[in-house]
Amino acid sequence: MATFVTALLLAAQLVSAAPALDSVVKCLSSANVPQDVPGSAAFSRDIIPYNLRLSFTPSAFAVPTTVPQIQKAVSCAAKYGVKVNPKSGGHSYAAHSLGGEDGHLVIDLKNFKEISVNSATKVATVGPGTRLGNLALGLYSQGKRAIAHGVCPGVGVGGHVLHGGQGYSSHSHGLAVDFIESAEVVLADSSVVTASATSNPDLFWAIRGAGFNLGVITSFKFRTIAAPEDNVLFYYPYVWSRAQAGPGWTAFQEYTAGRTTPQIPIGLNIRFVIVKDSGDNLLFLLEGAYHGSEADYLATIQPLLDSLNAVGGLVEADVVVKTVGWLDSLLYANSNALFRNWDNGEKLEVPFNYTAHATFYAKSLMTNDLSPAGVDAWITRLYDTGPTNSRNWYFIVAAQGGPTSVVPLVPNNATAYAHRDQIFEWQLVDAVAPPTTFPDAEGIAWLTPFITDIQAAEAAQGKTLGMYYNYADPALSKSEADQFYWLDNLARLEKVKQKFDPKRVFENPQTV
């Protein structure tokens, strides 16, 4: 009898604890919130993740067109204990905009795509569902304005900006997150507030770097800048052996750390893209954008080119140096149409029902210039395992910071973004072409030691390295994500989360 009663109690607890998933769909319907009904063609289409390696099924999928509808959607989810995730562009590497696990309510913000510039203040009002390519076109069409942001045109403004927003102008003009003047936010209790320096300043601090933790951003106010008219795009391909790569990498570090004469200028945005070449050699493509004249660019890049050319391996026939306008600089930086046959065919203008998919596993790292031991660990791992990996891996290491960059002019604790004192943003990707299935165990085991080897070498020098949430790594535990994404800002973030979302309505596996 006791066993039977215990079983009944456990069954009752499970029933009461399980989210009333169907009830959320009915609640949205009763509240007249537009939605993709589970089982419909629209639902099946809209839950396909950007990263096809991951697949999650939300319990409900709201597609609001107004702020009150967002409020009602949040209220429905909170009422039935279902977690909420906003989706602006859907490019989360870990599919966090779909919940990062099954059973969440997704609030798709694709209808929130306003782009308007106040002609007097030059402040732009922008919806979080706006795509970066459309943002660039919209701002430029209204007085040739711009903000610094990434170059992938299909990425949504919301997630990109809220967690940093690194791109081809970061060194010169800062991160996208630093252009936010205010934001309208729907909170966990369904209220609507403004977050700015003078209104809810603790919330404003937190959304600038960790916005997904705290609510649904329905609108941004961005300061804008005059779009740079002269932009020098450059490509220098170096094919290096293992023996060449160490000295070449060290020369790159010396330049980006400001230890050459002349120093790297504020107008120069530079990175290495590393991919396979022939045999045991690898291609290190030095590329980027300089805002200014070609003559000034050539003078300021020369110390780096001298050092790299001493190492050798430059494929001179494929060098490109070309001055273009602002919009073309963003177009070509993404499409690579100026370099070899790398043109991906993407345009800046993104259609409303844009979809793009890839299949990959990615990791990130934020570092200053590596110690000699760190360089050795990095190059050793790269050449020991890179040439024999037959998948479509690529690594991008961008110099966002350094002594002449705008990024570290904002103190590290001034926003939740925790990596301003680091020079390099590393994006390491191992990929296959769809419809090939990614070999999860093999791919994760191949990529992870690149990070752990560098971490171990730098830890011996007393350095703790962070990671970049916009390249979210679902293999990290929650405690690892807390540590690496937010570093010294974690404790303050936890307090803000408790204040504005004490019942943890907004949640994914790596939420603070």
Side-chain angles (χ1 to χ4, degrees), residues 152-163:
C152 296
V155 169
V157 165
H160 176 73
V161 171
L162 290 172
H163 306 115

Side-chain angles (χ1 to χ4, degrees), residues 252-324:
F252 178 59
Q253 290 193 154
E254 288 290 301
Y255 182 72
T256 51
R259 292 191 291 267
T260 63
T261 302
Q263 274 190 318
I264 179 174
I266 188 174
L268 187 62
N269 301 267
I270 194 167
R271 66 185 192 178
F272 260 134
V273 178
I274 303 110
V275 297
K276 288 180 293 186
D277 196 74
S278 58
D280 292 334
N281 292 332
L282 299 175
L283 172 64
F284 286 70
L285 177 61
L286 184 73
E287 65 173 26
Y290 176 77
H291 302 310
S293 73
E294 192 167 317
D296 287 345
Y297 160 74
L298 292 172
T300 56
I301 195 70
Q302 199 59 49
L304 176 58
L305 296 182
D306 288 344
S307 297
L308 296 181
N309 291 340
V311 172
L314 177 65
V315 184
E316 294 188 32
D318 291 336
V319 171
V320 176
V321 177
K322 184 176 180 63
T323 299
V324 296

Side-chain angles (χ1 to χ4, degrees), residues 356-406:
H357 305 292
T359 306
F360 63 94
Y361 174 63
K363 298 187 79 72
S364 69
L365 206 57
M366 304 296 296
T367 75
N368 280 311
D369 46 342
L370 301 180
S371 65
V375 173
D376 183 64
W378 152 235
I379 298 300
T380 297
R381 174 64 60 177
L382 184 61
Y383 279 84
D384 279 355
T385 68
T388 57
N389 182 341
S390 61
R391 295 182 295 276
N392 303 323
W393 64 266
Y394 62 92
F395 299 160
I396 301 174
V397 185
Q400 65 148 25
T404 59
S405 170
V406 169

Side-chain angles (χ1 to χ4, degrees), residues 213-226:
N213 286 278
L214 296 154
V216 182
I217 310 299
T218 62
S219 181
F220 293 99
K221 298 285 188 187
F222 291 133
R223 68 176 176 88
T224 65
I225 59 173

Side-chain angles (χ1 to χ4, degrees), residues 17-267:
L21 304 183
D22 187 52
S23 296
V24 176
V25 174
K26 292 178 180 177
C27 183
L28 294 174
S29 179
S30 298
N32 294 316
V33 177
Q35 63 176 309
D36 293 346
V37 176
S40 68
F43 183 86
S44 298
R45 178 196 65 217
D46 287 345
I47 68 168
I48 299 173
Y50 169 65
N51 185 358
L52 296 175
R53 191 178 71 83
L54 305 168
S55 180
F56 304 112
T57 303
S59 63
F61 197 101
V63 192
T65 58
T66 68
V67 173
Q69 290 172 351
I70 294 176
Q71 293 175 270
K72 292 174 183 177
V74 171
S75 179
C76 285
K79 178 179 180 180
Y80 292 104
V82 173
K83 303 304 181 184
V84 178
N85 299 99
K87 176 179 181 283
S88 55
H91 273 70
S92 170
Y93 282 14
H96 283 164
S97 54
L98 294 174
E101 59 191 9
D102 293 337
H104 290 215
L105 166 65
V106 174
I107 299 179
D108 192 337
L109 301 170
K110 64 184 177 183
N111 292 308
F112 292 76
K113 57 187 190 312
E114 176 187 4
I115 309 169
S116 62
V117 179
N118 184 301
S119 60
T121 66
K122 309 302 182 186
V123 171
T125 302
V126 177
T130 305
R131 306 283 182 164
L132 293 183
N134 295 337
L135 173 66
L137 291 167
L139 294 179
Y140 193 80
S141 70
Q142 299 178 61
K144 297 185 177 180
R145 307 304 293 177
I147 70 170
H149 56 72
V151 298
C152 296
V155 169
V157 165
H160 176 73
V161 171
L162 290 172
H163 306 115
Q166 196 270 350
Y168 256 33
S169 295
S170 298
H171 191 269
S172 304
H173 296 291
L175 301 167
V177 72
D178 294 327
F179 284 78
I180 302 175
E181 291 203 340
S182 68
E184 183 180 75
V185 188
V186 174
L187 298 176
D189 63 2
S190 300
S191 63
V192 180
V193 301
T194 296
S196 69
T198 57
S199 179
N200 298 296
D202 48 353
L203 180 63
F204 187 53
W205 174 87
I207 65 170
R208 290 177 296 154
F212 77 101
N213 286 278
L214 296 154
V216 182
I217 310 299
T218 62
S219 181
F220 293 99
K221 298 285 188 187
F222 291 133
R223 68 176 176 88
T224 65
I225 59 173
E229 292 298 336
D230 293 321
N231 306 273
V232 182
L233 296 188
F234 56 88
Y235 303 83
Y236 299 88
Y238 292 89
V239 176
W240 282 339
S241 67
R242 182 191 298 254
Q244 291 171 303
W249 192 263
T250 299
F252 178 59
Q253 290 193 154
E254 288 290 301
Y255 182 72
T256 51
R259 292 191 291 267
T260 63
T261 302
Q263 274 190 318
I264 179 174
I266 188 174

